[in-house]
Amino acid sequence: MISIREGLLIFIAVSEAVLGVLGNGFIGLVNCVDYVKNKKFSMIGFILTGLATSRVFLILLIITDGLIKLFSPDMYYSGKLIDFISYSWIIINQSSIWFATSLSIFYFLKIANFSHHIFLWLKGRINRVLHLLMGSLFISWLFTFPQIARIINDNRMRSGNTTWDFNMPKSMFITKQILVNLGVILLFTLCLVTCFLLIVSLWRHNRRMQMKITGPRDPSTEAHVKAMKVLISFIFLFILYFIGIVIEIVCFNMPENRLLFIFGMTTAAIYPWGHSLILILGNSKLKRASLRALQRCKFCEAGTRLTAAQTRVGANGCSRRII
């Protein structure tokens, strides 16, 4: 039986999953419609679509993995299910982080203003940089898959059957987790560095503009302040996501600590839906599309109410004629 606190956290995690699927599905749908209209994908459209798609699968995997661990641990740790989830996790998690890193690098090279010759060289070759980053994702997969296969095989050889062994020494467990997540750690660090440099660039620009203008803020200054708030929110959510994943990994060798594991799952699920909301509010195209969708929902609701009212009036009229 689950406790009240565990049930509350599970409810929050499932609610986050629903919001995340809706938000990221909306982002992917808007960019796919834009592709159908224009017959081509822009670089930012490709990144946003890939990010939204990978996050939908990421949310579903986080929740499914967590619920199976909680309610059917014997099924999870025996058989081939843990193999399937492990390999799926590598592909989906690293893809999601790769798209998030690509998005941060894209905005950094497009918006930031530095005079260093390396930055200027990279700024003129955004597509090459992103293609090189995609190559690093495939290299990370090639490095990580053998590590996961070795961990699974070694564990089963120690345990002597198909059941997962939880008696692995902590030092060995930590070392293997670092090797498995090395590509993720590098992408995460690169993403944070580019976001930090972009915030520094925006802050310097905003400071120069404030020194020149004594009156109210101009629209460009407001846009830069808004961009800094969006980046800070993204960094905060990104760090929360990694804290949640670390908690889940730590709880892997402590299956009895259910409450901490559920807390880690809930914390990790904040980032995919929270950042999708930030992207919708911060991107003008997505924001306009969301406002149009809300207006259509209101019109449909008003039309439904009007039809229901007309039906009731007609029914009352018929009853009066019969009487």
Side-chain angles (χ1 to χ4, degrees):
M1 290 294 293
I2 62 172
S3 65
I4 296 176
R5 288 182 295 178
E6 291 174 349
L8 180 60
L9 287 175
I10 291 173
F11 174 76
I12 293 173
V14 173
S15 301
E16 290 171 347
V18 173
L19 292 174
V21 171
L22 291 175
N24 287 286
F26 176 78
I27 293 173
L29 179 62
V30 170
N31 283 281
C32 288
V33 170
D34 187 62
Y35 168 75
V36 172
K37 288 181 179 179
N38 299 324
K39 302 300 181 183
K40 65 177 181 179
F41 252 141
S42 62
M43 180 58 70
I44 186 64
F46 168 74
I47 294 174
L48 288 175
T49 304
L51 181 62
T53 305
S54 62
R55 279 182 179 166
V56 168
F57 287 106
L58 180 67
I59 293 169
L60 295 176
L61 185 60
I62 289 174
I63 298 302
T64 304
D65 174 75
L67 294 179
I68 295 176
K69 280 181 182 177
L70 290 171
F71 297 107
S72 299
D74 294 335
M75 182 182 72
Y76 184 87
Y77 293 111
S78 61
K80 298 294 183 180
L81 182 59
I82 192 171
D83 300 10
F84 174 75
I85 291 179
S86 298
Y87 288 115
S88 300
W89 172 256
I90 291 172
I91 296 172
I92 295 172
N93 183 47
Q94 291 194 5
S95 298
S96 175
I97 296 175
W98 181 86
F99 280 112
T101 305
S102 299
L103 185 65
S104 66
I105 291 176
F106 179 85
Y107 282 133
F108 170 67
L109 295 177
K110 280 286 186 180
I111 300 174
N113 185 17
F114 292 102
S115 58
H116 198 279
H117 64 277
I118 295 179
F119 173 79
L120 297 176
W121 185 84
L122 292 173
K123 192 178 181 69
R125 296 165 176 82
I126 295 180
N127 291 340
R128 290 186 184 179
V129 172
L130 295 177
H131 290 156
L132 181 63
L133 199 63
M134 183 177 290
S136 68
L137 175 64
F138 290 117
I139 293 173
S140 178
W141 284 347
L142 293 175
F143 176 78
T144 308
F145 283 143
Q147 297 292 331
I148 284 288
R150 190 177 298 113
I151 290 173
I152 294 173
N153 293 331
D154 291 348
N155 177 81
R156 286 176 176 165
M157 287 178 65
R158 282 198 311 272
S159 60
N161 52 36
T162 58
T163 304
W164 198 266
D165 181 20
F166 295 103
N167 297 320
M168 184 186 301
K170 289 185 178 180
S171 58
M172 182 185 300
F173 179 76
I174 293 173
T175 302
K176 289 184 176 181
Q177 289 298 327
I178 291 175
L179 290 174
V180 167
N181 294 288
L182 186 60
V184 171
I185 294 171
L186 293 176
L187 288 174
F188 175 69
T189 304
L190 180 60
C191 183
L192 290 184
V193 169
T194 52
C195 286
F196 175 75
L197 291 175
L198 181 53
I199 290 173
V200 170
S201 176
L202 292 172
W203 178 78
R204 287 168 54 186
H205 176 80
N206 186 44
R207 190 179 178 184
R208 286 196 299 265
M209 295 299 294
Q210 286 180 342
M211 293 175 63
K212 292 180 181 179
I213 301 174
T214 57
R217 289 180 176 177
D218 66 314
S220 64
T221 304
E222 291 286 351
H224 282 79
V225 172
K226 182 179 178 181
M228 283 191 290
K229 292 179 180 178
V230 168
L231 284 168
I232 292 171
S233 302
F234 166 68
I235 292 174
F236 175 73
L237 291 174
F238 210 20
I239 292 174
L240 271 184
Y241 171 71
F242 269 84
I243 291 174
I245 296 302
V246 169
I247 292 173
E248 289 193 63
I249 291 173
V250 170
C251 292
F252 187 82
N253 273 8
M254 298 184 297
E256 70 281 355
N257 202 334
R258 289 158 54 97
L259 183 61
L260 183 61
F261 173 78
I262 298 171
F263 176 75
M265 178 179 67
T266 307
T267 304
I270 294 174
Y271 160 70
W273 79 265
H275 190 230
S276 66
L277 179 62
I278 292 174
L279 287 175
I280 292 172
L281 296 177
N283 187 288
S284 57
K285 181 178 71 174
L286 295 174
K287 188 174 183 179
R288 287 194 302 269
S290 63
L291 292 176
R292 287 196 301 268
L294 289 175
Q295 288 175 354
R296 289 177 182 175
C297 289
K298 289 180 180 179
F299 288 148
C300 291
E301 184 180 358
T304 303
R305 289 179 179 176
L306 181 61
T307 303
Q310 290 175 349
T311 303
R312 286 196 298 269
V313 171
N316 291 335
C318 291
S319 62
R320 288 173 183 174
R321 290 194 196 99
I322 292 172
I323 293 172

